[in-house]
């Protein structure tokens, strides 16, 4: 045996790995999916090590729902240099552990230190590692896997030699693995340790006979029986460690089983259909390894590795997600929907590393090189080597920069202004909600004591509004379609349920729904985040519910993880010392004797591999061709329309302009002017959801397209049908431009006077409660009418309300339904069928729908597509017969724009055609019509609404169309004002005092006599959302 | 083993039989005389309770109980002859009675009551509240001023303490004297008939409170009148018509609050109800809307819902456009409409709505096309994807003038 030199390749791998990954993490880790979540957990341990209850997310959850080691390490290190220091340090440790782990694993598998060196180098550049670290940020997973790799040598030696020393080392390492990540050892047992034991027994059997040929099943079986007790002993120890080390975790899983609806995950997709998932969860982790797959299978299905072969094949198949039905069949419905399948690919690629290293060795300096040079010549060998190395580097660079070119996160947000805001003026006495923060919300939470209803660890979700839907966060609800927006709307409509008062909006998309749910803009922070607040929300109570666990669990959780690390270091330090410094000559392990001579690379395998590589290349080429054809914008009419709408969707107007027929001579400035003047829900707050393009009458140089678009807006779906004419000039298709509104306002400059309001808040600066005389009186409201009605099987309360005070009022109105026995059945707040801000003496009609928690019975099939205005009526077990209305007014000083007039209204066969006119000085972004229906006596029957999709600009008109409803099936269940309250006082008392001589006929005098089905009068009210108030 | 257990057991037993703990002292209770003369004091004064005893033992305790709680005191060490207890400050400062009990070994030897009076002479503080912060002019609304005078130690002063209430409204400054009852004095400030700001303050034992305010808002509006004005009365769909109210007042002649919402309801010649909104500024509400684009008769009435309404005023819009030409070309697919000439033969301002309703030969409605004029004209083009060749009825409506054509359209026009 050669003298044991320091393995230069390993040293090289460590240096390059630390330099490369170590510097790159500072640019990638914080924008990964998971890293900041771990940071938040770490912050929890840093501030309360032993108490597992964390109040800041989901109205409280337990951190015993995730193995703690990595979090605790970061938390511990944060005492030295802060949380981020801790995170980066742990990441650096993980990098070192991974490279050395790959080295030891390769050494164990191949028995060659040279090849192990190759393994270490390849591990540094493995695209799966790059992805897991730099895109997913799965620190616990990486740490656990690395330590598992380290422990494999020890486990092998225990099985093989039966020396207690190895038993102890393997057990301690396994314990560390368990406390860092629970899934890794759980599946690691099956996919790594079981085949490893098989291999150990196989090796022992091999030593009994002269060659692998003579190794029959009988020999193997005999050897297995010999080693049986070691296997059992280790097996039971492993299970014990898995249960004991994170016992509180299992205890918590039992107590709070995951009952929530599964969240769709890209790794379960069909990769051929959803190519982006295929890229992220298949192509990137496999990378260049895909080309060498035949070699892996060839090697892993040799006699020694056959158990690994089985495991490897299984992992490869499971990693394909929904592409083939096999994973679903193997895992079963339940496990398939809970597990993220990308981890199987991760393990498969890690398992492939030693064999890949072996391949590289044979390619660079072994028999493969000889064979290739012999068959194809030296140049070909070099070119091939260059291609493989180049391909690998390309994959690494590509993966690394994926987050740069296709950001998965919003731009980095400066948290300090938000943290300061929450800290000031007792703002943290209420819950807050970030919107559009991405995973950075965890970083915000880590920096403040304030609590949010949201959270970023979906397994710990507790609120029914969240667990019954497949959403991971409310924060990014727009990406979760109907369920997301539905959840968000529930929080926005009934915020007092969770003491939610502040919303930090980093995404303009949500602004309209915030406004229409009755929220108001408070201020824009210096980092550009808009703060929205809701009035009339009580602060969080001093005493909050908490799910306590026995002290022993807290102690176990706080002590065991770090103890396992200390034990592992203590037990292994001597060996590490010896191994690193070569201070003592240690006998070579038995597996090094099994190093193969590598003198004859099978020629047929080489041929097959070439064909395989060709096949892969053809597939890739075809994929890229499809990608090209689909994405070359002006190649076909279809592409053109798609690109044009894509450009409009992303507001890339100069790109959109480039698709307009150049012969029309519309210059870019003119085009921009025409496009950008239209404001409204479609042009400012919509996301194109689906695009149905129908090309017809296509000739050589012309075509027509009917484009059915569906836009997601925060308020509702908008369907549009557009017609376009397309022409082909110089082999490129172009779009003919459509007409614009030529309306010009009469005045260049005009004046407007109005009353504006300002509320000081606290006039006297104090850290105490606000002074009595600085508390404004709540404006007095009067409920003019209220009815419980049933329409289309759904109960609603409709009514009318007036601000009878002399100050503008913000209105919150809550209705509760009761049955005959006065049992409460449901309660809900008025959402958007009300004007939330009223001027003195202004009236509003309102409607309260009783929304249940959507899909609360998980049996209901989830709708496959987005529908923000989807509504789940609450299901009543009993008949509601009575209701109670609680309204509250608070002085409002914003969003009081009332200058949109109804300028024309005409009933035609298509419904009402109307014209809105904006006579004031603010541009109305989204006008909302609230339409109320009255019977012959002027009694309110029903309230409907319509959002006009385009805005009303100053001194300009906007057309709308509204189809009136048919109300003949509407049933009034009860009507009356007995149980109506305003600011806690009975409505009647207020009416008698403030409006003793109310002129009741005014209501009817202002309504439009229009005989429709089931009603006699109609009234249109306008509620205007202003996107950019001046 | 057994011996060991025996030894341990006996040791345990021995330790139990230690005779230190058990020995109930059956002594007679000592004779106690309460020697403090005063059983009243003023808040803040030091209080000591003295007792004379014939038996000097250490464990005398004094239990003191007042409305806030109970404490157990040890005698002062310095006074060995007589037993002296010093009542702590937080007890001596709270007005009202406190009860004491002298205890020895949980047995009550003596008990009594001491009464602490409020310390009005030292200093008087006045805490006052005034609410609601705004009221309505008229006869039945009021704000209540509540005053709670206290001594330096926050003890409410005795019932019957005199408090002076001062009141200012416009030129009028009043003063009246009231007395406290159950620790507070209150005074209802009745609303005035004139809107404005009422200031109140109070004074007790020479200490004045801060200034407190209530705002008297005007009462509900009474009927008012409105007028309409515009640059001209042609229905050009471009000018702005302004509706103005006179100064809206309440029944007492106060100008209604700024920001009061006035709805101007417009009934047009087709009995459609349109509206525009104004909010008052110094009692005047101004609302604007756009001229219609066709001859119309508007009847306008304004409301402050539930409270007041205005007269009905009329505004007649004369047609601005008498007629317009229509020209069909390119297989009747291209329709040029205009020029539109307004009342002075000028081209109408851009943006007049032109609507084309298309019907098939049988009169079945197919679709509407809308466009707006630019430089007095507009063009509608009916591409054949939209309308196949055939006979159609076109109804063109602009500026209230409808024209009907029956045309055959034909030909492909895509160049």
């Amino acid at each position: 045996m050669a003298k044991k030199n320091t393995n230069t390749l390993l040293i090289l791998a460590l240096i390059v790995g630390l330099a490369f990954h170590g510097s790159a993490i500072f640019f990638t880790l914080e924008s990964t999916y998971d890293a900041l979540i771990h940071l938040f957990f770490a912050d929890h341990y840093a501030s309360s090590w032993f108490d597992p209850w964390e109040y800041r997310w989901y109205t409280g959850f337990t951190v015993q729902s995730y193995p703690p080691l990595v979090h605790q390490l970061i938390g511990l290190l944060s005492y030295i240099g802060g949380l981020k220091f801790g995170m980066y340090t742990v990441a650096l440790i993980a990098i070192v552990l991974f490279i050395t782990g790959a080295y030891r694993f390769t050494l164990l598998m191949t028995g060659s230190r040279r090849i192990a060196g190759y393994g270490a180098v390849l591990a540094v550049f493995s695209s799966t590692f790059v992805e897991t670290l730099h895109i997913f940020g799965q620190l616990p997973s990486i740490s656990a896997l690395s330590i598992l790799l380290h422990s494999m040598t020890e486990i092998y030696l225990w099985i093989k030699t039966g020396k207690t020393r190895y038993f102890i080392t393997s057990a301690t390492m396994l314990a560390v693995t368990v406390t860092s990540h629970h899934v890794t050892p759980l599946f690691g047992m099956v996919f790594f340790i079981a085949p490893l034991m098989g291999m150990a027994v196989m090796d022992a059997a091999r030593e009994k006979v002269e060659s692998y040929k003579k190794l029959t099943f009988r020999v193997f079986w005999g050897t297995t029986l010999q080693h049986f007790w070691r296997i059992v002993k280790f097996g039971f120890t492993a299970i014990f460690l898995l249960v004991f080390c994170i016992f509180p975790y299992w205890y918590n899983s039992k107590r709070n089983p995951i009952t929530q609806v599964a969240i769709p995950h890209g790794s379960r997709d069909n990769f051929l259909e959803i190519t982006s998932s295929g890229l992220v969860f298949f192509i990137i982790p496999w990378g260049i390894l895909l080309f060498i797959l035949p070699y892996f299978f060839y090697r892993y299905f040799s006699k020694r590795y056959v158990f690994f072969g089985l495991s490897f094949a299984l992992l490869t198949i499971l990693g394909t997600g929904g592409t083939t039905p096999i994973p679903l069949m193997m895992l079963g419905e339940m496990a398939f929907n809970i597990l993220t399948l990308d981890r199987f690919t991760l393990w498969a690629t890690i398992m492939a590393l030693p064999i890949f290293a072996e391949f590289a060795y044979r390619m660079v300096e072994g028999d493969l090189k000889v064979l290739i040079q012999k068959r194809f010549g030296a140049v070909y060998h070099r070119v091939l080597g260059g291609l493989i190395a180049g391909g690998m580097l390309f994959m690494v660079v590509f993966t690394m920069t994926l987050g740069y070119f296709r950001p998965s996160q919003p731009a980095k947000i400066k948290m300090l202004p938000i943290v300061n805001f929450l800290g000031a003026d007792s703002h943290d006495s209420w819950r807050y909600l970030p919107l559009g923060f991405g995973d950075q919300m965890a970083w915000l939470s880590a920096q403040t004591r304030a609590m949010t209803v949201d959270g970023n660890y979906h397994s710990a979700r507790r609120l029914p509004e969240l667990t019954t839907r497949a959403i991971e966060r409310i924060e990014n609800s727009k990406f979760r379609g109907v369920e997301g927006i539905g959840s968000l709307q529930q929080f926005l409509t009934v915020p007092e349920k969770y003491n939610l008062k502040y919303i930090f909006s980093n995404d303009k998309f949500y602004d309209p729904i915030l406004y229409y749910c009755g929220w108001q803009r408070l201020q824009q922070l210096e980092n550009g985040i808009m703060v929205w607040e809701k009035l009339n929300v009580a602060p969080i109570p001093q005493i909050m519910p908490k799910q306590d666990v026995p002290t022993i669990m807290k102690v176990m959780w706080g002590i065991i993880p770090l103890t396992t690390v200390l034990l592992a270091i203590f037990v292994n330090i001597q060996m590490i010392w010896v191994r690193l410094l070569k201070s003592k000559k240690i006998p070579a392990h038995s597996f090094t004797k099994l190093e193969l001579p590598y003198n004859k690379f099978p020629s047929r395998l080489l041929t097959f591999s070439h064909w395989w590589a060709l096949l892969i290349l053809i597939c890739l080429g075809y994929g890229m061709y499809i990608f090209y054809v689909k994405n070359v914008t002006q190649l076909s009419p279809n592409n053109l329309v798609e690109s044009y709408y894509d450009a409009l969707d992303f507001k890339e107007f100069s790109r959109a302009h480039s698709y307009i027929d150049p012969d029309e001579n519309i210059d870019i400035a003119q085009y921009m002017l025409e496009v950008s003047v239209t404001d409204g829900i479609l042009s400012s707050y919509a996301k194109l959801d689906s695009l149905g393009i129908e090309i017809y009458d296509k000739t050589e140089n012309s075509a027509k397209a009917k484009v059915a678009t569906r836009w997601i807006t925060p308020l509702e779906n908008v369907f549009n049908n557009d017609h376009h004419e397309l022409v082909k000039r110089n082999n490129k298709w172009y779009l003919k431009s459509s007409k614009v509104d030529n309306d010009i306002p009469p005045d260049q400059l005009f004046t407007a006077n109005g009353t504006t309001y300002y509320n000081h808040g606290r006039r006297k600066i104090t850290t105490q409660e606000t002074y009595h005389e600085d508390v404004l009186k709540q404006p007095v409201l009067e409920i003019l009418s209220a009815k419980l009605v049933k329409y289309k099987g759904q109960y609603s309360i409709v009514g009318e309300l007036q601000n009878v005070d002399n100050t503008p009022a913000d209105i919150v109105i809550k209705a509760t339904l009761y049955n005959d026995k006065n049992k409460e059945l449901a309660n809900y707040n008025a959402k958007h069928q009300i004007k939330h801000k009223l001027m003195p003496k202004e009236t509003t009609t309102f409607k309260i729908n009783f929304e249940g928690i959507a899909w609360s019975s998980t049996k209901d099939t989830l709708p496959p597509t987005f529908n923000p205005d989807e509504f789940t009526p609450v299901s009543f077990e009993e008949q509601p017969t009575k209701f109670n209305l609680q309204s509250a007014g608070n002085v409002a000083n914003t969003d009081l724009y009332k200058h949109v007039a109804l300028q024309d209204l005409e009933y035609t066969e298509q419904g009402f055609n109307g014209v809105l006119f904006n006579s004031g000085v603010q541009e109305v972004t989204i006008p909302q019509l609230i339409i109320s229906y009255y019977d012959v006596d002027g009694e309110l029957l029903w309230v409907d609404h319509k959002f006009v999709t385009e805005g009303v600009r100053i001194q300009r008109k906007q057309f709308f169309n509204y189809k009136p409803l048919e109300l003949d099936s509407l049933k009034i269940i009860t009507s009356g004002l007995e149980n109506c309250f305003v600011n806690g006082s009975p409505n009647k008392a207020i009416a008698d005092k403030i409006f003793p001589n109310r002129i009741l006929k005014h209501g009817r005098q202002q309504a439009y006599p229009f005989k429709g089905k089931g009603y006699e009068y109609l009234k249109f009210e306008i509620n205007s959302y202003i996107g950019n108030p001046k | 083993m057994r011996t060991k257990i025996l030894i341990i057991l006996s040791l345990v037993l021995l330790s139990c039989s230690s005779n230190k703990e058990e020995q109930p002292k059956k002594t007679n209770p000592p004779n106690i005389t309460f020697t403090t003369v005063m059983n009243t004091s003023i808040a803040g004064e030091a209080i000591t309770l003295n007792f004379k005893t014939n038996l000097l033992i250490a464990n005398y305790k004094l239990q003191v109980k007042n409305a806030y709680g109970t404490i157990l005191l040890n005698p002062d060490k310095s006074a060995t002859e007589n037993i002296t207890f010093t009542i702590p400050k937080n007890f001596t400062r709270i007005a009202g009675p406190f009860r004491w009990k002298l205890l020895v070994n949980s047995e009550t030897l003596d008990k009594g009551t001491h009464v602490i009076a409020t310390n009005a002479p030292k200093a008087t503080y006045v805490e006052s509240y005034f609410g609601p912060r705004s009221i309505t002019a008229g006869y039945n609304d009021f704000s209540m001023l509540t005053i709670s005078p206290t001594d330096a130690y926050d003890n409410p002063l005795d019932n019957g303490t005199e408090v002076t209430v001062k009141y200012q409204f416009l030129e009028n400054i009043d003063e009246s004297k009231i007395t406290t009852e159950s620790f507070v004095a209150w005074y209802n400030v009745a609303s005035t008939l004139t809107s404005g700001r009422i200031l109140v303050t109070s004074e007790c034992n020479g200490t004045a409170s801060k200034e407190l305010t209530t705002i008297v808002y005007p009462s509900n509006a009474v009927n008012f009148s409105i007028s309409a004005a515009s640059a001209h009365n042609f229905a050009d769909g471009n000018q702005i018509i302004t509706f103005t109210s006179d100064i809206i007042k309440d029944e007492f002649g106060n100008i209604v609050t700024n920001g009061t919402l006035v709805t101007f309801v417009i009934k047009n010649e087709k009995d459609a109800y349109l509206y525009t909104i104004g909010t008052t500024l110094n009692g005047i509400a101004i609302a604007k809307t756009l001229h219609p684009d066709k001859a119309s008769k508007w009847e306008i009435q304004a409301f402050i819902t539930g409270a007041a309404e205005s007269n009905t005023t009329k505004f007649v819009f004369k047609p601005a456009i008498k007629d317009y030409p229509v020209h069909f070309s390119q297989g009747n697919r291209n329709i040029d409409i205009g020029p539109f000439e307004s009342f002075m033969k000028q081209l109408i301002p851009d943006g007049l709505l032109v609507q084309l309703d298309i019907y098939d030969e049988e009169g079945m409605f197919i679709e509407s096309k809308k466009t707006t004029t630019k430089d007095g004209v507009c063009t509608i083009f009916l591409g054949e994807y939209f309308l196949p060749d055939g006979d159609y009825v076109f109804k063109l409506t602009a500026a209230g003038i409808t024209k009907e054509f029956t045309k055959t359209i034909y030909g492909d026009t895509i160049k």
Side-chain angles (χ1 to χ4, degrees), chain A residues 696-697 702 704 723 725 739-747 750-751 753-755 757 763 772-775 777 802 806-807 839-843 898-899 901-906 909-910 917 919 955 957 959 993-995 997-999 1001-1002 1005-1009 1020-1022, chain B residues 129-130 132-134 140-141 210 212 217-218 220 237-240 257-261 263 265 268 270-277 279-281 288-292 294 298 301 303-309 349-351 353 365 368 371-374 379 381 383-385 414:
Chain A
Y696 56 99
D697 291 356
S702 73
K704 293 132 197 174
H723 295 274
E725 282 178 30
K739 291 200 171 64
V740 289
D741 188 359
N742 297 315
D743 189 20
I744 56 159
D747 299 322
F750 70 102
T751 59
N753 295 322
T755 312
Y757 298 85
R763 284 186 296 172
H772 173 74
E773 58 262 38
D774 288 355
V775 179
K777 189 189 84 164
Q802 184 174 25
N806 290 285
T807 49
M839 290 299 278
K841 308 296 184 288
E842 185 174 1
T843 60
K898 305 288 172 191
H899 296 293
L902 180 63
Q903 195 260 348
D904 199 4
L905 189 67
E906 194 177 1
E909 290 147 13
Q910 293 92 48
F917 176 70
S919 67
Q955 277 212 336
K957 297 180 286 195
F959 302 100
K993 187 179 169 195
I994 310 255
F995 252 116
N997 305 314
R998 176 176 286 281
I999 307 169
K1001 64 173 194 213
H1002 274 178
Q1005 276 177 311
Q1006 294 177 47
Y1008 176 17
F1020 287 80
E1021 287 169 279
I1022 299 157
Chain B
Y129 298 95
F130 193 38
R133 309 285 318 284
S134 62
N140 57 5
D141 209 355
K210 56 190 165 189
L212 293 160
Y217 278 121
N220 289 332
N238 189 48
Q239 276 306 319
I240 285 172
T257 343
N258 283 346
T260 300
L261 188 111
T263 313
V265 176
N268 70 10
K270 287 180 180 166
D271 276 351
Y273 277 56
L274 317 173
Y275 76 88
T276 179
I277 283 171
T279 52
T280 62
L281 197 61
K288 295 172 181 172
T289 190
L290 198 64
H291 276 214
K294 50 185 176 277
W298 281 7
Q301 191 182 15
F303 297 91
I304 295 174
T305 307
E309 60 193 58
D350 289 354
L353 179 74
F365 175 77
S368 283
T371 185
T372 51
T373 63
K374 190 176 182 185
T379 305
F381 182 78
E384 69 274 24
Y385 63 87
I414 293 276

